[in-house]
Amino acid sequence: MPAVSSPSSRALNAILPLVASGQPYEAHQKARTFASRYNKSRQYDTAIDVLFQSARELLKVGQQGSGTDLTLFLLDVYESKGEVVNDESRGRLTQLIALTGSSGSWRKTIIDRSIAWSAKHGDCPAGDQDMHHYIGELLYKDGAFNIAEPHFLASGKRDSARLLADMMVEWSAAGGAPGIFALRGTLPYLQNGNILAARTFIFQFISQLISSRPNIRSPLQTSPLPVTPTSEITHTKEPLLNFCQLAVLTCQRANRDKNQAIRESWVRLCGTYQSKGGVLATREVRAVLQEIATLYFAIPPPRTQPDNPFGAMLSSMMGGGPPGGGAPVRRLLSPAGPSTPGLD
């Protein structure tokens, strides 16, 4: 292995050859010793370089335990330094997350700590959007759909919404009504005020679903149905799919209490579909729809509301605090008007 020339060269030239020669334990111990010294002397960048390169090489040779330990130490140094989220600091972590592999709990440990760091030192209280997207895509490719889902939702980027839609279509093919999977993507994005992601998700979902299952399109309306001069829906045999499309378009045109016609459209939409029973009529989903109604249409919630575990889960997923911490803060949102595509 060639000699390293950098402020951390003395340490790395002592550590990396040990990895290459099959002495991972000795390499791990030396890495911790050197990094501790640098950290204590506030040579944070040198400590970070030592830990990153040592962890990377250990993970490459299958030493997940040692590599994870050094990665967590790296995050401790990030905290000591006050390292902010940027392409370089994020990139080190995503490399190590990828190298950790899917066996055991090592990767989850690194992911959880990395997201917590990015939430504290980045711009998004739910964790860095790019990191969430990367992790979601990685887990999706590994077939860990249930673990990837909250990362795509927390990211909220258009690319995340598209991949979430592709994943949900694939997931629904293994069993389960497609409408439930459509709802799981649409409602959280709407609840978080992210119309652009909600719109991207549902239309990608419908497009991919019809490509794989063309018979789900309604025989009564085989071509897209215009709703506004710039928007249309694809009528399907699944009521939830139709509801999700209409819900997104209605929220997109909302202007809180300034557009009475759209407010009434939302009330009729929810009432019509909830009257048919099913998941939309359950207490948990009704509470989520009420929150969306308040957020977009300024429709006040009932004076007393039952506990809403589904809503609490979505709130927590989106970075909100747990219930019971005092009077809730009323969120305000000014969604896009008819001429703008939505919010990101």
Side-chain angles (χ1 to χ4, degrees):
M1 183 173 294
V4 177
S5 178
S6 70
S8 55
S9 59
R10 175 171 170 267
L12 291 171
N13 287 333
I15 296 165
L16 300 187
L18 292 174
V19 180
S21 63
Q23 302 176 74
Y25 175 79
E26 291 79 2
H28 172 252
Q29 293 302 303
K30 278 188 177 292
R32 286 198 64 91
T33 300
F34 276 109
S36 294
R37 291 173 184 168
Y38 291 131
N39 191 40
K40 288 178 182 178
S41 61
R42 298 188 178 183
Q43 299 179 65
Y44 298 127
D45 290 338
T46 305
I48 287 169
D49 193 38
V50 168
L51 290 166
F52 168 63
Q53 294 204 48
S54 300
R56 181 177 61 185
E57 296 307 312
L58 284 165
L59 290 171
K60 284 180 179 178
V61 297
Q63 295 293 318
Q64 286 97 335
S66 295
T68 298
D69 178 69
L70 295 185
T71 302
L72 299 180
F73 194 171
L74 170 66
L75 282 159
D76 289 338
V77 179
Y78 272 13
E79 290 288 348
S80 298
K81 180 188 175 185
E83 182 75 275
V84 298
V85 180
N86 55 41
D87 289 344
E88 184 177 20
S89 60
R90 181 196 307 111
R92 294 189 193 101
L93 295 174
T94 54
Q95 281 191 58
L96 297 175
I97 288 168
L99 287 169
T100 303
S102 57
S103 62
S105 62
W106 306 114
R107 185 166 68 183
K108 182 181 185 304
T109 300
I110 296 176
I111 286 173
D112 290 347
R113 282 284 305 277
S114 297
I115 292 296
W117 161 76
S118 73
K120 182 177 178 181
H121 296 280
D123 297 327
C124 184
D128 181 65
Q129 290 179 295
D130 290 323
M131 182 172 287
H132 272 300
H133 176 84
Y134 177 87
I135 293 168
E137 185 172 12
L138 182 69
L139 294 168
Y140 172 25
K141 289 177 179 178
D142 280 353
F145 296 170
N146 60 319
I147 309 174
E149 179 183 6
H151 290 289
F152 283 138
L153 291 172
S155 171
K157 297 170 73 71
R158 278 175 286 184
D159 286 344
S160 298
R162 292 188 188 99
L163 281 180
L164 178 62
D166 293 343
M167 186 184 81
M168 290 301 203
V169 170
E170 189 175 337
W171 200 354
S172 70
I180 298 295
F181 290 94
L183 206 66
R184 284 170 64 165
T186 304
L187 291 191
Y189 282 138
L190 286 178
Q191 193 180 32
N192 202 37
N194 195 338
I195 297 177
L196 180 57
R199 179 182 172 87
T200 300
F201 168 81
I202 190 57
F203 287 102
Q204 174 78 1
F205 185 94
I206 295 293
S207 174
Q208 292 297 100
L209 185 66
I210 288 177
S211 294
S212 60
R213 298 169 59 178
N215 63 332
I216 205 166
R217 190 194 295 267
S218 172
L220 303 177
Q221 183 71 44
T222 56
S223 59
L225 177 67
V227 177
T228 72
T230 58
S231 302
E232 60 186 22
I233 71 163
T234 300
H235 198 57
T236 74
K237 298 176 183 176
E238 286 261 356
L240 286 179
L241 298 180
N242 301 331
F243 173 80
C244 287
Q245 294 177 81
L246 290 169
V248 169
L249 293 181
T250 306
C251 288
Q252 185 177 343
R253 299 167 64 198
N255 192 15
R256 295 190 57 77
D257 58 354
K258 296 179 176 61
N259 190 330
Q260 190 65 27
I262 295 300
R263 293 179 84 202
E264 292 174 358
S265 294
W266 174 261
V267 173
R268 287 197 302 271
L269 174 66
C270 292
T272 299
Y273 280 89
Q274 287 173 336
S275 68
K276 301 174 183 178
V279 66
L280 291 178
T282 62
R283 185 185 69 174
E284 294 80 10
V285 176
R286 290 175 74 96
V288 172
L289 293 175
Q290 176 61 61
E291 183 177 337
I292 292 170
T294 303
L295 186 63
Y296 290 87
F297 306 98
I299 298 173
R303 289 183 180 275
T304 57
Q305 288 185 308
D307 291 338
N308 178 19
F310 181 62
M313 179 273 289
L314 292 178
S315 177
S316 175
M317 184 184 299
M318 295 299 105
V329 177
R330 179 71 57 83
R331 292 194 297 158
L332 298 178
L333 181 70
S334 297
S339 61
T340 53
L343 304 175
D344 200 354

